[in-house]
Amino acid sequence: MKRLFNKYDVLILLISLGAAVALSAIFFITGRNAPQGGYARISVNGSVAAELPLSEDVPEYSIIPAYSGVNILEIRGGTVRMAYAGCPGGSCVRQGSISRAGQFIVCLPNRVVVEVAGENRDPHIDAVTR
């Protein structure tokens, strides 16, 4: 009778599984250590439309793209979320709140991007390492 797996197949499977667990742990740990964002940068069709500080609560901020309807942002407790989107699907609304530098929400049909940026607004600095 022919065997389905030999010992090398099992070894490769275990090594792959171990690497996947290790990489997942690394991404989880580094994501949790990301700096808290200072402001939300809102871009519509590639142009920056607004920059709102996350330190001030904004119950409704309307974004009117040129495509389909309106998008409404909400800033509360240092987080930002897409409260409403006039696009079909609404996956940007289901994404939930973001608060860490480097996180973003994208509404593709309306070409709206909300990015959380850090405290540093110097345009000449593109990255900071520790």
Side-chain angles (χ1 to χ4, degrees):
M1 186 162 102
K2 190 173 180 181
R3 296 175 73 182
L4 187 59
F5 294 110
N6 64 25
K7 63 182 177 181
Y8 297 110
D9 292 335
V10 173
L11 182 64
I12 289 173
L13 182 66
L14 290 176
I15 290 172
S16 299
L17 186 61
V21 168
L23 287 174
S24 297
I26 289 170
F27 287 131
F28 179 75
I29 290 169
T30 57
R32 295 194 55 110
N33 290 334
Q36 190 73 16
Y39 64 99
R41 180 181 299 130
I42 301 148
S43 302
V44 179
N45 202 20
S47 300
V48 176
E51 290 183 347
L52 303 173
L54 295 180
S55 58
E56 300 173 17
D57 288 354
V58 178
E60 264 189 26
Y61 183 82
S62 297
I63 305 165
I64 303 173
Y67 302 101
S68 63
V70 64
N71 288 41
I72 298 176
L73 281 181
E74 177 186 50
I75 298 176
R76 183 181 302 159
T79 65
V80 61
R81 73 180 188 97
M82 191 76 69
Y84 173 80
C87 62
S91 61
C92 55
V93 176
R94 289 190 304 273
Q95 184 174 345
S97 298
I98 58 174
S99 63
R100 304 251 180 223
Q103 291 180 320
F104 55 91
I105 299 171
V106 178
C107 181
L108 283 177
N110 289 342
R111 297 183 185 175
V112 173
V113 177
V114 180
E115 176 188 7
V116 175
E119 294 290 337
N120 188 352
R121 292 185 181 205
D122 187 349
H124 302 291
I125 299 175
D126 58 358
V128 177
T129 60
R130 294 185 210 190

